[in-house]
Every structure is written in structure tokens, then in C-alpha cells.
Amino acid sequence: MNDFPQSGRPVPAWFTDAKFGIFVHWGAYSVSAWAEPTGELGVVDPDVWFKHNPYAEWYWNTIRIEGSPAQEHHRTTHGGRPYDEFLDEWKAELFDPADWVELFARAGARYVVPTTKHHDGIALWDAPGTGIRNTVHRGPRRDLIADLAAAVRARDLRFGVYYSGGIDWYAGRRDPVLHEDRMDEGRPHEAAYAAYAHRQVIDLIDRHSPDVLWNDMGWPRAGQADLPELFSYYYATVPEGVVNDRWDNAHADYLTSEYEADRANEWGACWENTRGIGFSFGYNQTEGPEHLLDPADAVRLLVDVVSRGGNLLLNVGPKADGTLPQEQRAVLEGMASWMACHSEAVHATRPLESGSADPHDGDPWVRWTRDERHIYAFVADVPDEAGGRVALKTRPGLLDPDTAERLDGDTVKAEAGPEGIHITSAGLDTPLPTAIRFATR
Ligand SMILES: C[C@@H]1N[C@H](CNC(=O)Cc2c[nH]c3ccccc23)[C@@H](O)[C@H](O)[C@@H]1O
């Protein structure tokens, strides 16, 4: 979607060191919590995508598409009633932000980005111009953004905000989006909406000094001339703030990709891949284990992204009551137990210079990271018949075999080989990667 260079502004070190953030998609769509588990963005045929949208947060759009299974579900389960009623049904009665943040921190996340207003236009704070159509005056009757921000900062994590500037099916009054080629028709571009959105982002900056401004689906054309002023105001308020790339090519401190879409953005010193634990960002009750990443998948995704110089923004979709779905908690718990001894090989690392050591897919699976004094080899799926022996292809002399150590404490033997380093160690035949640390020569 974006083929322009980043802003040229050096991205603050906290962001490139952070490596791992948690996205939180929570809204009135968490009450309906329903979508077909069609598949991943970028893999699903675009002609199928919108009528069979796996994004549960797109429920209001999908139920307005004639003949969609979601429309049928809405008719039979909710009597076809107005989407807006889900706001009043949303109570968030079990919302415990400190509990969420503790799990996010243990999993190794260093920043948290909640949806403050998604495409349905419902604000999770008392946003200017929204009247009572927000979670302070209806439903939860709570400023969910302020409560989460406080918990995130109390745990010394960075706090960012997601804002749907490009799409607003309420204030923007648009017909359903039927195909990505007609996405622009689904977007409001008028001056009134631009002023409304601009004012809300300024309000978020004034209230929370967010460390990340994560806008989505572009910015209304009538408001694009005012973006340089908005960004200047943001940076003056948050000198270490970062701005993503979804403002219609106006500006970007870093580029984003989403599932398999926009993978061409995954280059340079700083980019971020985002996805849900399943095929959806909003909680989708129809998803089963076969649709979700397991802990090993999530760890490998994080390690692969970090080894290529990116951040992973992994999403959780809380239930309407404020609890994190058990199957999503389990993934973060799995990441947390892995992160307990692998953080040093992930956080504040950088990719290796190209050509010094090769990643490898298949058996074994190999990825690399480095910091000033060490090089880390992540190894998984070592075939059993190899007796735990792996040949790591590296530039000769790059690693000192005598310094090899497994971060989980198990023993590893290393010796220089013709193509780099041979290591021998037990228990590397699992899909969950293990890091071996070497001192750099
Ligand atoms: C983080 C997610 N961002 C989505 C917007 N995604 C994009 O614009 C990315 C994208 C690239 N190519 C596309 C083709 C069709 C739909 C989306 C995209 C939103 O529509 C989702 O609901 C969720 O908030």
C-alpha cells in the first residue's frame, strides 16, 4: 500500500529495541464476536474477502452485504437489530487492565496499542464530537483507554493509540465496502469529518501523550493539508513518539505489513508486522485451535520478524466482558515461559550483516540476531536422526565455538566446521526455537 520512504526522521531507539508490542482490538463488535474463519489477509482471494470477512471487527460492514453468511447469522441470532445496540450490551464488567498488562509484559511485549475508535466510529473514551456514542456514556460507562493507559505505564511499558482515521461507518455515513478496489468509496473525505477526526487525535495526544500514533486506512483528503501541523504538535508533545505509515502517504516513521499483505514494506531499519492470534483482530467466537497460532508459531513469527529488523505487533481480541479469551491467553503464557530465558536474544538486538550467516527454513529452522557482544542462533525442528547435530552456515571465523551457550541452560557442544559451526545438542527437535549464544570474535 505504501511505496514511499520513511520520514527520514530517525526512529527512537525505544521502538527499534522494543521488538514486540500487543495490539488490542476491543469494541461493540466484541459483543457480536462473529465472523467466518475464512483465512489470512493477503492469502484469501480479494473477491471473497469482504463478503466472507474473517475480521470480526468488520461485523457491521459484513452484515450489510446482501447474502453474506454474517448477514444470515445476524438475522437468526440477533433478529437483525441495529448494530448500535451492541454498544449498550457491552459491559466490560470483568475488565482488569492490570491483569492484561502483567501477562503482556511477561510475554515480552514492550508496548501496547488499543483501538480508541475503530471503523464503527464508537470511541472507547469521551471523544470530542461523539456525544453519548462512546463507552463513557453508554455500555461499559468507563474510559477504557485511560484505564488501560494507566496500567500500561504503571508497568513501564510504552502506550500507543490505534485510530481509524480513514473509515468511520457512523460519522462518515458510508455504504458497506464490497471490494478492496472500491475501498475509497467506503471512506469519508469531507472537511467536517476531517475536522472531527483531527480534533479526536489531538484530544488523544493531549490526554495520553501516546508513544505510538497508529492510524489506519488513510486520512480524509480534506484534512491531509493539516497533517504536517498535527505531526509537529505530536512530536512537540511526545519527542520520542513514532507515527506509522497509514496516513495516505503523508508521512511515516516506520512501515507496516498486516498478515501477508504489504510484505514488501518489510525492509530497512524499522518496520512492523501486525496480525491477530487467529484470522481476526476482534474476538471471533467461531475460531477454533486450528485457526490460531500456537505458542511455537507465535515465537517463530516474532523471531523471524526480529531477525529481519522488524517489530511484531501481535493482537489480542478481548471478550465483551473484559476477559482475554483463554485460548489467546495460553499463547501469551507460552511466549512468556519462552521469553523468560530468551529475552536477551530478542530485545535490543539487530539483524546480522547480510551474508554473514544464513537463515534456514525447514529442518532445521534457523534464524539469527546479534547485539554488540554476542550473536544468537535460534534453532528448531532439528531432525532426530541427526542426533541433535546441526551445521550452522556462517562466514568463517564469525563465531567462537568455545563460547557457545544455550540460553535455556541445557548443554551444547560446538566446533568449527568447513561451512561455519557444527553444534550438537539434545532436544532441538521441537518447533519451539532455542537460542544458542556465541561471543563475537
Ligand atoms: C489492524 C487491522 N487493519 C485493517 C486495515 N488493513 C489494511 O488496510 C491493510 C490492507 C492491505 N491491503 C488490504 C486489502 C484489503 C483490506 C485490508 C488491506 C482493519 O480493517 C482491521 O480491522 C484491523 O484494524
Side-chain angles (χ1 to χ4, degrees):
M1 241 153 83
N2 302 304
D3 52 7
F4 58 94
Q6 279 104 317
S7 63
R9 173 178 176 264
V11 179
W14 79 261
F15 188 70
T16 33
D17 288 348
K19 302 305 177 193
F20 182 30
I22 299 288
F23 226 168
V24 183
H25 275 65
W26 198 23
Y29 46 77
S30 310
V31 176
S32 40
W34 196 95
E36 295 171 82
T38 311
E40 293 184 357
L41 178 68
V43 175
V44 171
D45 176 349
D47 294 336
V48 167
W49 179 266
F50 285 93
K51 189 171 183 179
H52 303 278
N53 202 323
Y55 283 179
E57 68 279 8
W58 272 70
Y59 187 78
W60 193 13
N61 190 75
T62 320
I63 61 175
R64 287 182 286 159
I65 296 177
E66 278 315 310
S68 71
Q71 186 176 69
E72 184 52 30
H73 167 81
H74 187 62
R75 187 178 299 131
T76 53
T77 309
H78 299 289
R81 57 199 169 89
Y83 173 84
D84 202 59
E85 291 184 7
F86 289 130
L87 173 53
D88 299 306
E89 269 191 55
W90 180 18
K91 298 301 180 198
E93 69 275 18
L94 300 178
F95 177 40
D96 176 357
D99 169 63
W100 289 11
V101 172
E102 182 54 29
L103 175 57
F104 298 164
R106 287 192 298 108
R110 294 287 165 81
Y111 60 109
V112 179
V113 183
T115 52
T116 62
K117 182 203 79 159
H118 201 261
H119 305 340
D120 61 7
I122 294 174
L124 279 65
W125 89 104
D126 191 7
T130 57
I132 62 163
R133 197 165 181 270
N134 58 59
T135 61
V136 172
H137 293 92
R138 288 170 58 187
R141 292 188 187 281
R142 208 168 154 181
D143 182 336
L144 301 174
I145 300 306
D147 291 352
L148 183 56
V152 167
R153 276 149 171 182
R155 194 66 176 68
D156 293 323
L157 303 183
R158 298 275 182 155
F159 178 75
V161 289
Y162 168 105
Y163 185 83
S164 174
I167 287 189
D168 188 313
W169 295 316
Y170 185 76
R173 300 276 190 281
R174 281 295 179 283
D175 292 334
V177 180
L178 301 174
H179 194 279
E180 67 181 36
D181 295 346
R182 298 176 55 193
M183 190 87 89
D184 201 56
E185 288 169 34
R187 290 178 47 187
H189 287 287
E190 304 80 14
Y193 172 70
Y196 170 87
H198 186 108
R199 194 168 152 224
Q200 290 188 354
V201 172
I202 293 290
D203 191 56
L204 287 167
I205 294 168
D206 289 344
R207 288 172 183 254
H208 302 298
S209 298
D211 297 292
V212 186
L213 274 193
W214 215 103
N215 185 64
D216 210 358
M217 302 299 282
W219 195 256
R221 270 191 288 278
Q224 286 181 11
D226 301 326
L227 283 179
E229 175 209 335
L230 185 143
F231 296 138
S232 308
Y233 183 77
Y234 173 59
Y235 292 130
T237 311
V238 191
E240 284 203 320
V242 286
V243 174
N244 78 335
D245 62 343
R246 300 192 180 188
W247 305 77
D248 279 327
N249 296 358
H251 172 83
D253 290 323
Y254 73 95
L255 301 185
T256 61
S257 59
E258 185 171 320
Y259 285 93
E260 293 304 311
D262 296 330
R263 298 290 306 271
N265 286 344
E266 297 180 359
W267 61 273
C270 192
W271 49 272
E272 180 189 70
N273 176 251
T274 189
R275 62 158 289 158
I277 289 173
F279 299 149
S280 176
F281 287 92
Y283 173 56
N284 179 5
Q285 63 191 296
T286 75
E287 286 185 338
E290 69 276 23
H291 305 116
L292 304 182
L293 298 173
D294 67 20
D297 296 326
V299 167
R300 284 162 77 125
L301 174 63
L302 174 64
V303 168
D304 175 59
V305 163
V306 170
S307 73
R308 292 184 288 121
N311 285 10
L312 173 65
L313 185 61
L314 185 64
N315 180 81
V316 292
K319 294 184 175 180
D321 66 5
T323 59
L324 299 177
Q326 195 41 48
E327 60 278 11
Q328 294 189 31
R329 286 193 81 98
V331 174
L332 294 182
E333 287 291 357
M335 296 184 84
S337 54
W338 181 86
M339 194 59 80
C341 57
H342 284 93
S343 168
E344 70 168 273
V346 172
H347 294 115
T349 62
R350 296 291 180 270
L352 269 63
E353 302 75 45
S354 63
S356 51
D358 295 343
H360 186 272
D361 282 321
D363 302 342
W365 183 90
V366 181
R367 292 293 187 276
W368 300 87
T369 62
R370 67 163 304 145
D371 61 24
E372 291 67 34
R373 296 173 39 241
H374 303 107
I375 285 182
Y376 301 92
F378 292 85
V379 181
D381 291 334
V382 175
D384 238 353
E385 59 278 8
R389 189 175 160 75
V390 192
L392 299 175
K393 286 171 70 175
T394 67
R395 175 168 52 73
L398 177 74
L399 307 174
D400 178 352
D402 298 339
T403 63
E405 282 192 74
R406 263 178 69 156
L407 292 193
D408 60 3
D410 284 6
T411 54
V412 57
K413 203 161 69 63
E415 63 224 345
E419 292 187 290
I421 292 272
H422 286 172
I423 60 168
T424 307
S425 188
L428 297 179
D429 57 344
T430 65
L432 191 67
T434 300
I436 296 155
R437 180 180 60 208
F438 296 88
T440 48
R441 282 195 190 287

PDB file of all heavy atoms in Angstrom, residues 199-218:
ATOM      1  N   ARG A 199      -9.589  16.573  15.474  1.00  0.00           N
ATOM      2  CA  ARG A 199      -9.834  17.012  16.861  1.00  0.00           C
ATOM      3  C   ARG A 199      -9.709  15.830  17.831  1.00  0.00           C
ATOM      4  O   ARG A 199      -9.191  15.965  18.945  1.00  0.00           O
ATOM      5  CB  ARG A 199     -11.251  17.598  16.920  1.00  0.00           C
ATOM      6  CG  ARG A 199     -11.559  18.387  18.176  1.00  0.00           C
ATOM      7  CD  ARG A 199     -12.869  19.165  17.973  1.00  0.00           C
ATOM      8  NE  ARG A 199     -13.534  19.379  19.252  1.00  0.00           N
ATOM      9  CZ  ARG A 199     -14.854  19.202  19.451  1.00  0.00           C
ATOM     10  NH1 ARG A 199     -15.629  18.799  18.421  1.00  0.00           N
ATOM     11  NH2 ARG A 199     -15.383  19.411  20.629  1.00  0.00           N
ATOM     12  N   GLN A 200     -10.126  14.659  17.390  1.00  0.00           N
ATOM     13  CA  GLN A 200     -10.064  13.489  18.282  1.00  0.00           C
ATOM     14  C   GLN A 200      -8.631  13.006  18.472  1.00  0.00           C
ATOM     15  O   GLN A 200      -8.242  12.632  19.584  1.00  0.00           O
ATOM     16  CB  GLN A 200     -10.952  12.368  17.726  1.00  0.00           C
ATOM     17  CG  GLN A 200     -12.426  12.703  17.825  1.00  0.00           C
ATOM     18  CD  GLN A 200     -13.338  11.549  17.457  1.00  0.00           C
ATOM     19  OE1 GLN A 200     -12.888  10.492  17.008  1.00  0.00           O
ATOM     20  NE2 GLN A 200     -14.633  11.747  17.629  1.00  0.00           N
ATOM     21  N   VAL A 201      -7.835  13.072  17.406  1.00  0.00           N
ATOM     22  CA  VAL A 201      -6.435  12.648  17.564  1.00  0.00           C
ATOM     23  C   VAL A 201      -5.692  13.641  18.444  1.00  0.00           C
ATOM     24  O   VAL A 201      -4.922  13.247  19.331  1.00  0.00           O
ATOM     25  CB  VAL A 201      -5.759  12.472  16.185  1.00  0.00           C
ATOM     26  CG1 VAL A 201      -4.266  12.221  16.338  1.00  0.00           C
ATOM     27  CG2 VAL A 201      -6.416  11.328  15.401  1.00  0.00           C
ATOM     28  N   ILE A 202      -5.966  14.927  18.270  1.00  0.00           N
ATOM     29  CA  ILE A 202      -5.351  15.934  19.153  1.00  0.00           C
ATOM     30  C   ILE A 202      -5.749  15.657  20.606  1.00  0.00           C
ATOM     31  O   ILE A 202      -4.916  15.715  21.524  1.00  0.00           O
ATOM     32  CB  ILE A 202      -5.793  17.367  18.747  1.00  0.00           C
ATOM     33  CG1 ILE A 202      -5.231  17.735  17.368  1.00  0.00           C
ATOM     34  CG2 ILE A 202      -5.396  18.390  19.810  1.00  0.00           C
ATOM     35  CD1 ILE A 202      -3.731  17.958  17.325  1.00  0.00           C
ATOM     36  N   ASP A 203      -7.026  15.289  20.808  1.00  0.00           N
ATOM     37  CA  ASP A 203      -7.500  15.008  22.177  1.00  0.00           C
ATOM     38  C   ASP A 203      -6.744  13.819  22.776  1.00  0.00           C
ATOM     39  O   ASP A 203      -6.350  13.837  23.954  1.00  0.00           O
ATOM     40  CB  ASP A 203      -9.006  14.727  22.135  1.00  0.00           C
ATOM     41  CG  ASP A 203      -9.623  14.695  23.529  1.00  0.00           C
ATOM     42  OD1 ASP A 203      -9.468  15.705  24.258  1.00  0.00           O
ATOM     43  OD2 ASP A 203     -10.188  13.654  23.901  1.00  0.00           O
ATOM     44  N   LEU A 204      -6.511  12.799  21.975  1.00  0.00           N
ATOM     45  CA  LEU A 204      -5.750  11.631  22.458  1.00  0.00           C
ATOM     46  C   LEU A 204      -4.319  12.032  22.809  1.00  0.00           C
ATOM     47  O   LEU A 204      -3.759  11.584  23.819  1.00  0.00           O
ATOM     48  CB  LEU A 204      -5.745  10.529  21.397  1.00  0.00           C
ATOM     49  CG  LEU A 204      -7.072   9.772  21.208  1.00  0.00           C
ATOM     50  CD1 LEU A 204      -7.020   8.946  19.921  1.00  0.00           C
ATOM     51  CD2 LEU A 204      -7.366   8.885  22.415  1.00  0.00           C
ATOM     52  N   ILE A 205      -3.735  12.895  21.987  1.00  0.00           N
ATOM     53  CA  ILE A 205      -2.365  13.362  22.266  1.00  0.00           C
ATOM     54  C   ILE A 205      -2.347  14.153  23.578  1.00  0.00           C
ATOM     55  O   ILE A 205      -1.508  13.935  24.454  1.00  0.00           O
ATOM     56  CB  ILE A 205      -1.847  14.228  21.103  1.00  0.00           C
ATOM     57  CG1 ILE A 205      -1.679  13.381  19.829  1.00  0.00           C
ATOM     58  CG2 ILE A 205      -0.529  14.915  21.469  1.00  0.00           C
ATOM     59  CD1 ILE A 205      -1.448  14.197  18.559  1.00  0.00           C
ATOM     60  N   ASP A 206      -3.343  15.044  23.739  1.00  0.00           N
ATOM     61  CA  ASP A 206      -3.398  15.870  24.954  1.00  0.00           C
ATOM     62  C   ASP A 206      -3.618  15.023  26.205  1.00  0.00           C
ATOM     63  O   ASP A 206      -3.042  15.296  27.254  1.00  0.00           O
ATOM     64  CB  ASP A 206      -4.530  16.905  24.846  1.00  0.00           C
ATOM     65  CG  ASP A 206      -4.189  17.994  23.827  1.00  0.00           C
ATOM     66  OD1 ASP A 206      -2.985  18.099  23.470  1.00  0.00           O
ATOM     67  OD2 ASP A 206      -5.102  18.706  23.379  1.00  0.00           O
ATOM     68  N   ARG A 207      -4.435  13.975  26.093  1.00  0.00           N
ATOM     69  CA  ARG A 207      -4.760  13.175  27.284  1.00  0.00           C
ATOM     70  C   ARG A 207      -3.654  12.184  27.653  1.00  0.00           C
ATOM     71  O   ARG A 207      -3.412  11.919  28.826  1.00  0.00           O
ATOM     72  CB  ARG A 207      -6.049  12.376  27.055  1.00  0.00           C
ATOM     73  CG  ARG A 207      -7.318  13.209  27.051  1.00  0.00           C
ATOM     74  CD  ARG A 207      -8.503  12.353  26.611  1.00  0.00           C
ATOM     75  NE  ARG A 207      -9.738  13.109  26.514  1.00  0.00           N
ATOM     76  CZ  ARG A 207     -10.746  13.007  27.407  1.00  0.00           C
ATOM     77  NH1 ARG A 207     -10.638  12.181  28.429  1.00  0.00           N
ATOM     78  NH2 ARG A 207     -11.853  13.717  27.254  1.00  0.00           N
ATOM     79  N   HIS A 208      -3.008  11.574  26.618  1.00  0.00           N
ATOM     80  CA  HIS A 208      -2.154  10.418  26.918  1.00  0.00           C
ATOM     81  C   HIS A 208      -0.716  10.524  26.444  1.00  0.00           C
ATOM     82  O   HIS A 208       0.075   9.609  26.726  1.00  0.00           O
ATOM     83  CB  HIS A 208      -2.794   9.144  26.331  1.00  0.00           C
ATOM     84  CG  HIS A 208      -4.175   8.887  26.837  1.00  0.00           C
ATOM     85  ND1 HIS A 208      -4.441   8.654  28.173  1.00  0.00           N
ATOM     86  CD2 HIS A 208      -5.379   8.870  26.204  1.00  0.00           C
ATOM     87  CE1 HIS A 208      -5.749   8.490  28.331  1.00  0.00           C
ATOM     88  NE2 HIS A 208      -6.344   8.613  27.146  1.00  0.00           N
ATOM     89  N   SER A 209      -0.367  11.577  25.691  1.00  0.00           N
ATOM     90  CA  SER A 209       0.977  11.638  25.089  1.00  0.00           C
ATOM     91  C   SER A 209       1.378  10.248  24.583  1.00  0.00           C
ATOM     92  O   SER A 209       2.401   9.683  25.010  1.00  0.00           O
ATOM     93  CB  SER A 209       2.001  12.108  26.136  1.00  0.00           C
ATOM     94  OG  SER A 209       1.680  13.398  26.560  1.00  0.00           O
ATOM     95  N   PRO A 210       0.611   9.679  23.685  1.00  0.00           N
ATOM     96  CA  PRO A 210       0.854   8.291  23.266  1.00  0.00           C
ATOM     97  C   PRO A 210       2.206   8.122  22.590  1.00  0.00           C
ATOM     98  O   PRO A 210       2.627   8.970  21.810  1.00  0.00           O
ATOM     99  CB  PRO A 210      -0.292   8.007  22.290  1.00  0.00           C
ATOM    100  CG  PRO A 210      -0.737   9.340  21.803  1.00  0.00           C
ATOM    101  CD  PRO A 210      -0.501  10.309  22.919  1.00  0.00           C
ATOM    102  N   ASP A 211       2.868   7.009  22.888  1.00  0.00           N
ATOM    103  CA  ASP A 211       4.197   6.766  22.315  1.00  0.00           C
ATOM    104  C   ASP A 211       4.119   6.363  20.845  1.00  0.00           C
ATOM    105  O   ASP A 211       5.115   6.441  20.128  1.00  0.00           O
ATOM    106  CB  ASP A 211       4.903   5.666  23.110  1.00  0.00           C
ATOM    107  CG  ASP A 211       5.126   6.086  24.566  1.00  0.00           C
ATOM    108  OD1 ASP A 211       5.933   7.005  24.777  1.00  0.00           O
ATOM    109  OD2 ASP A 211       4.445   5.552  25.451  1.00  0.00           O
ATOM    110  N   VAL A 212       2.955   5.859  20.419  1.00  0.00           N
ATOM    111  CA  VAL A 212       2.757   5.480  19.010  1.00  0.00           C
ATOM    112  C   VAL A 212       1.425   6.064  18.530  1.00  0.00           C
ATOM    113  O   VAL A 212       0.412   5.961  19.244  1.00  0.00           O
ATOM    114  CB  VAL A 212       2.705   3.938  18.822  1.00  0.00           C
ATOM    115  CG1 VAL A 212       2.637   3.587  17.333  1.00  0.00           C
ATOM    116  CG2 VAL A 212       3.907   3.268  19.470  1.00  0.00           C
ATOM    117  N   LEU A 213       1.458   6.708  17.356  1.00  0.00           N
ATOM    118  CA  LEU A 213       0.214   7.116  16.672  1.00  0.00           C
ATOM    119  C   LEU A 213      -0.015   6.113  15.542  1.00  0.00           C
ATOM    120  O   LEU A 213       0.682   6.142  14.526  1.00  0.00           O
ATOM    121  CB  LEU A 213       0.339   8.515  16.078  1.00  0.00           C
ATOM    122  CG  LEU A 213       0.030   9.730  16.953  1.00  0.00           C
ATOM    123  CD1 LEU A 213      -0.095  10.986  16.069  1.00  0.00           C
ATOM    124  CD2 LEU A 213      -1.233   9.551  17.786  1.00  0.00           C
ATOM    125  N   TRP A 214      -0.961   5.198  15.762  1.00  0.00           N
ATOM    126  CA  TRP A 214      -1.195   4.104  14.806  1.00  0.00           C
ATOM    127  C   TRP A 214      -2.517   4.380  14.095  1.00  0.00           C
ATOM    128  O   TRP A 214      -3.562   3.906  14.494  1.00  0.00           O
ATOM    129  CB  TRP A 214      -1.257   2.772  15.537  1.00  0.00           C
ATOM    130  CG  TRP A 214      -0.703   1.587  14.817  1.00  0.00           C
ATOM    131  CD1 TRP A 214       0.493   0.982  15.040  1.00  0.00           C
ATOM    132  CD2 TRP A 214      -1.322   0.829  13.757  1.00  0.00           C
ATOM    133  NE1 TRP A 214       0.651  -0.115  14.209  1.00  0.00           N
ATOM    134  CE2 TRP A 214      -0.444  -0.216  13.395  1.00  0.00           C
ATOM    135  CE3 TRP A 214      -2.529   0.943  13.056  1.00  0.00           C
ATOM    136  CZ2 TRP A 214      -0.724  -1.156  12.397  1.00  0.00           C
ATOM    137  CZ3 TRP A 214      -2.836   0.020  12.070  1.00  0.00           C
ATOM    138  CH2 TRP A 214      -1.918  -1.020  11.738  1.00  0.00           C
ATOM    139  N   ASN A 215      -2.442   5.163  13.009  1.00  0.00           N
ATOM    140  CA  ASN A 215      -3.658   5.447  12.244  1.00  0.00           C
ATOM    141  C   ASN A 215      -3.914   4.310  11.264  1.00  0.00           C
ATOM    142  O   ASN A 215      -2.981   3.593  10.872  1.00  0.00           O
ATOM    143  CB  ASN A 215      -3.509   6.756  11.462  1.00  0.00           C
ATOM    144  CG  ASN A 215      -4.809   7.134  10.754  1.00  0.00           C
ATOM    145  OD1 ASN A 215      -5.813   7.395  11.392  1.00  0.00           O
ATOM    146  ND2 ASN A 215      -4.785   7.105   9.430  1.00  0.00           N
ATOM    147  N   ASP A 216      -5.173   4.146  10.833  1.00  0.00           N
ATOM    148  CA  ASP A 216      -5.484   3.041   9.917  1.00  0.00           C
ATOM    149  C   ASP A 216      -6.349   3.513   8.754  1.00  0.00           C
ATOM    150  O   ASP A 216      -7.163   4.445   8.903  1.00  0.00           O
ATOM    151  CB  ASP A 216      -6.234   1.926  10.672  1.00  0.00           C
ATOM    152  CG  ASP A 216      -5.951   0.551  10.065  1.00  0.00           C
ATOM    153  OD1 ASP A 216      -5.217   0.470   9.052  1.00  0.00           O
ATOM    154  OD2 ASP A 216      -6.478  -0.440  10.593  1.00  0.00           O
ATOM    155  N   MET A 217      -6.137   2.908   7.598  1.00  0.00           N
ATOM    156  CA  MET A 217      -6.954   3.118   6.408  1.00  0.00           C
ATOM    157  C   MET A 217      -6.886   4.538   5.863  1.00  0.00           C
ATOM    158  O   MET A 217      -7.821   5.014   5.232  1.00  0.00           O
ATOM    159  CB  MET A 217      -8.426   2.753   6.699  1.00  0.00           C
ATOM    160  CG  MET A 217      -8.650   1.340   7.164  1.00  0.00           C
ATOM    161  SD  MET A 217      -8.125   0.120   5.958  1.00  0.00           S
ATOM    162  CE  MET A 217      -9.465   0.155   4.807  1.00  0.00           C
ATOM    163  N   GLY A 218      -5.783   5.219   6.105  1.00  0.00           N
ATOM    164  CA  GLY A 218      -5.603   6.527   5.464  1.00  0.00           C
ATOM    165  C   GLY A 218      -6.258   7.670   6.230  1.00  0.00           C
ATOM    166  O   GLY A 218      -6.749   7.497   7.352  1.00  0.00           O
TER     167      GLY A 218
END
